[in-house]
């Protein structure tokens, strides 16, 4: 008898003609997430089985695997060669502290002589003999003993089905560039696109010395936390101070945010294209702040040449975004009180519905192309794999 972990994946994406590509990716991503553990992965029909791991790390392995996109649920279980004698001996050794239970047998191996319903009743009988006060309850019992007699010749017995993240394996879509601030929203936006299979790179605009080293560290930490789900993230840190100072010096202060955001978008699209990324991702949510009215979004989006800008949070309430951010463990870092570049030179009355004509007039006072070139030249590059 061995302790193993059953890993279930989404049946849907494994049915199409790209099945083998998805499957290869998923196995690769699972093994990558477990690279620090000794473990073996084998495939049985419709599942993966993790074996040969150190039992001390079982919970940690389960935790990691349930964060791999494409994995739908996970069960720690025991595995042994299918035989009536062994199954009954094991079921007979189980102990219960609950009041109600049921046995759920799935017989995939038709060589096994007894059908599922009959065998569930038989095994239930063995348990009742041992625990006469227990009651069978078919709907919502306290404990379900799952017995899977599979066609690989093995039986798997477990009582827990742990829900995993679901989604599509990262890498099944082309990559995207996430505009990552230190806030609550952008890490969630990245998580949501990665959940649909999109690998991430991240870009952060940094206004040193107006914003501190710690503000930058915070963003790297956030990227590291998101990378638990996505695998390695390359982070481009763009020096943004000069651009902000030039805007501040030459333009109407009320347009600060609009102008800044147009620079961010232009630089992001360039970096995305240079790195073969096919989309830009932001954490914008309609009407959350002044720069997120549809008029503002239109004016900032206007500088984009051809990449799609994905805004997975656009229709979400802050409460719901915060809930996800807590679930994915970025919230506590996001709320650390370091200033963002957007709070530097913040105007008292930012325009809420900027007119393109006026924005272009303000922008014409700047040497846009050179400012962009200089910022890009001084980018610092990090990778989450190299961050502890
Ligand atoms: P967040 O919580 O993600 O910071 P926010 O609610 O503070 O978002 P804004 O400051 O208007 O909203 O930013 C909107 C989006 O623009 C962010 O979600 C992020 O994608 C991007 N962004 C803002 N500041 C930066 C920055 N310094 N570097 C990179 N991207 C940024
Ligand atoms: Mg912000």
């Amino acid at each position: 008898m061995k302790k193993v972990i059953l890993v279930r994946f989404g049946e849907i994406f494994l049915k199409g003609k790209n099945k083998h590509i998805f499957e290869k990716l998923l196995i690769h991503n699972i093994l990558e997430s477990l690279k620090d553990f000794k473990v073996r992965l084998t495939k049985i029909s419709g599942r993966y089985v993790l074996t040969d791991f150190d039992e001390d790390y079982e919970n940690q392995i389960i935790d990691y695997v349930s964060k791999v996109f494409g994995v739908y649920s996970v069960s720690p279980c025991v595995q042994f060669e299918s035989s009536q004698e062994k199954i009954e001996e094991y079921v007979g050794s189980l102990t219960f502290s609950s009041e109600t239970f049921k046995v759920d047998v799935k017989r995939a191996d038709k060589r096994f002589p007894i059908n599922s319903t009959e065998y569930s009743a038989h095994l239930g009988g063995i348990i009742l003999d041992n625990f006469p006060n227990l009651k069978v309850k078919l709907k919502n019992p306290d404990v379900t003993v799952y017995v899977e007699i599979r066609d690989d010749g093995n039986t798997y017995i477990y009582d827990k089905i742990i829900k995993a993240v679901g989604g599509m394996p990262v890498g099944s879509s082309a990559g995207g560039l996430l505009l990552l601030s230190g806030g609550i929203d952008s890490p969630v936006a990245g998580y949501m696109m990665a959940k649909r299979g999109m690998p991430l790179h991240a870009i952060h605009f940094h206004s040193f010395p107006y914003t501190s080293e710690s503000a930058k560290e915070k963003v790297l930490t956030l990227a590291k936390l998101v990378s638990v789900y996505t695998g390695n993230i390359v982070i481009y840190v763009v020096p943004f101070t000069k651009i902000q100072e030039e805007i501040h010096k030459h333009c109407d202060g009320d347009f600060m945010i609009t102008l800044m955001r147009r620079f961010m978008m232009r630089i992001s699209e360039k970096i995305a294209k240079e790195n073969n990324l096919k989309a830009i991702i932001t954490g914008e949510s309609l009407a959350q702040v002044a720069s997120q009215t549809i008029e503002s979004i239109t004016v900032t989006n206007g500088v984009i040449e051809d990449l799609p800008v994905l805004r997975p949070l656009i229709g979400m309430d802050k409460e719901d975004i915060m809930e996800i951010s807590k679930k994915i463990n970025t919230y506590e870092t996001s709320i650390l009180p370091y200033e963002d570049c957007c709070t530097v030179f913040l105007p008292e009355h930012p325009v809420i519905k900027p007119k393109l004509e006026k924005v272009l007039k303000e922008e014409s006072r700047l040497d846009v192309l050179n400012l962009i070139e200089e910022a890009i030249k001084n980018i610092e590059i990090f990778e989450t794999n190299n961050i502890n």
Side-chain angles (χ1 to χ4, degrees), residues 285-316:
S285 159
L286 190 64
Q288 201 187 81
V289 289
S291 62
Q292 295 177 19
T293 62
I294 198 66
E295 289 84 356
S296 291
I297 290 175
T298 305
V299 170
T300 42
N301 201 75
V303 296
I304 293 285
E305 285 170 10
D306 45 29
L307 289 188
V309 179
L310 305 176
R311 301 176 174 89
L313 312 185
I314 197 72
M316 286 176 71

Side-chain angles (χ1 to χ4, degrees), residues 179-181 183-186 203-205 261 264 282-284 288-289 291-292 318 340-342:
L179 274 81
L180 184 61
S181 69
I184 292 171
D185 303 330
S186 40
I203 187 166
H204 176 67
F205 297 89
R261 296 192 63 78
M264 285 187 186
T282 79
E284 287 161 304
Q288 201 187 81
V289 289
S291 62
Q292 295 177 19
K318 192 77 183 186
D340 181 62
C341 77
C342 291

Side-chain angles (χ1 to χ4, degrees), residues 325-326 329-336:
S325 119
K326 286 175 186 163
N329 199 29
T330 52
Y331 182 77
E332 294 299 326
T333 305
S334 288
I335 59 173
L336 293 174

Side-chain angles (χ1 to χ4, degrees), residues 260-295:
M260 254 168 51
R261 296 192 63 78
R262 281 166 65 92
F263 271 96
M264 285 187 186
M265 285 303 202
R266 287 188 179 100
I267 293 171
S268 298
E269 188 174 33
K270 269 185 180 293
I271 297 300
K273 286 180 173 171
E274 274 173 21
N275 291 283
N276 201 26
L277 302 167
K278 305 294 187 196
I280 290 168
I281 305 161
T282 79
E284 287 161 304
S285 159
L286 190 64
Q288 201 187 81
V289 289
S291 62
Q292 295 177 19
T293 62
I294 198 66
E295 289 84 356

Side-chain angles (χ1 to χ4, degrees), residues 6-271:
L6 269 186
V7 180
R8 303 177 191 82
F9 38 78
E11 298 290 338
I12 308 160
F13 70 73
L14 286 177
K15 284 198 172 124
K17 62 176 188 291
N18 290 331
K19 181 179 146 111
H20 63 284
I21 303 175
F22 286 141
E23 178 133 40
K24 225 173 114 184
L25 259 175
L26 183 56
I27 291 177
H28 172 270
N29 293 353
I30 291 174
L31 292 177
E32 183 64 24
S33 88
L34 299 178
K35 63 179 184 299
D36 295 334
F37 302 92
K38 180 178 87 71
V39 60
R40 255 182 65 153
L41 180 149
T42 27
K43 194 186 170 224
I44 58 173
S45 62
R47 315 259 144 114
Y48 303 129
V49 190
L50 301 177
T51 59
D52 301 289
F53 48 84
D54 182 339
E55 280 179 27
D56 290 348
Y57 295 115
E58 184 182 25
N59 289 338
Q60 245 175 304
I61 292 176
I62 289 172
D63 184 46
Y64 277 56
V65 176
S66 27
K67 289 178 175 152
V68 175
F69 291 126
V71 173
Y72 277 65
S73 67
V74 179
S75 293
C77 53
V78 296
Q79 174 206 54
F80 44 80
E81 226 174 90
S82 301
S83 84
Q84 234 177 300
E85 194 192 339
K86 282 190 186 149
I87 294 173
E88 289 166 22
E89 185 190 317
Y90 181 75
V91 168
S93 75
L94 293 173
T95 56
F96 292 81
S97 53
S98 55
E99 286 175 13
T100 62
F101 83 106
K102 76 170 172 185
V103 178
D104 182 339
V105 174
K106 276 200 194 72
R107 181 185 61 148
D109 186 350
K110 300 299 177 215
R111 291 169 303 182
F112 193 82
I114 312 169
N115 77 32
S116 302
T117 321
E118 249 177 74
Y119 205 44
S120 297
H122 180 68
L123 294 176
I126 295 177
I127 293 171
L128 284 174
D129 284 345
N130 291 340
F131 296 89
N133 294 331
L134 260 184
K135 290 203 167 45
V136 175
K137 191 173 169 218
L138 297 181
K139 263 199 185 149
N140 298 322
D142 298 331
V143 176
T144 301
V145 180
Y146 296 93
V147 179
E148 294 194 12
I149 305 167
R150 305 214 54 111
D151 47 17
D152 66 339
N154 285 315
T155 291
Y156 298 83
I157 301 185
Y158 54 91
D159 63 1
K160 271 196 213 81
I161 300 178
I162 300 161
K163 199 170 173 325
V165 275
M168 302 289 283
V170 170
S172 56
S173 154
L177 181 64
L178 170 66
L179 274 81
L180 184 61
S181 69
I184 292 171
D185 303 330
S186 40
V188 174
Y191 169 87
M192 287 182 66
M193 292 321 303
K195 184 169 180 184
R196 300 308 305 161
M198 185 172 271
L200 303 180
H201 289 212
I203 187 166
H204 176 67
F205 297 89
H206 183 51
S207 318
F208 191 77
Y210 299 108
T211 59
S212 60
E213 259 322 280
S214 329
K216 182 169 101 186
E217 293 298 322
K218 172 182 172 183
V219 169
L220 297 180
T221 305
L222 284 172
K224 181 78 184 175
L225 290 170
V226 174
S227 76
V228 169
Y229 296 89
T230 60
N232 188 37
I233 299 177
V234 178
I235 309 138
Y236 310 91
V237 176
V238 185
F240 206 47
T241 316
K242 174 86 182 285
I243 289 173
Q244 288 178 299
E245 286 173 344
E246 286 294 298
I247 299 173
H248 185 63
K249 218 187 293 171
H250 300 291
C251 308
D252 177 346
D254 291 351
F255 285 82
M256 185 77 201
I257 292 180
T258 312
L259 293 168
M260 254 168 51
R261 296 192 63 78
R262 281 166 65 92
F263 271 96
M264 285 187 186
M265 285 303 202
R266 287 188 179 100
I267 293 171
S268 298
E269 188 174 33
K270 269 185 180 293
I271 297 300

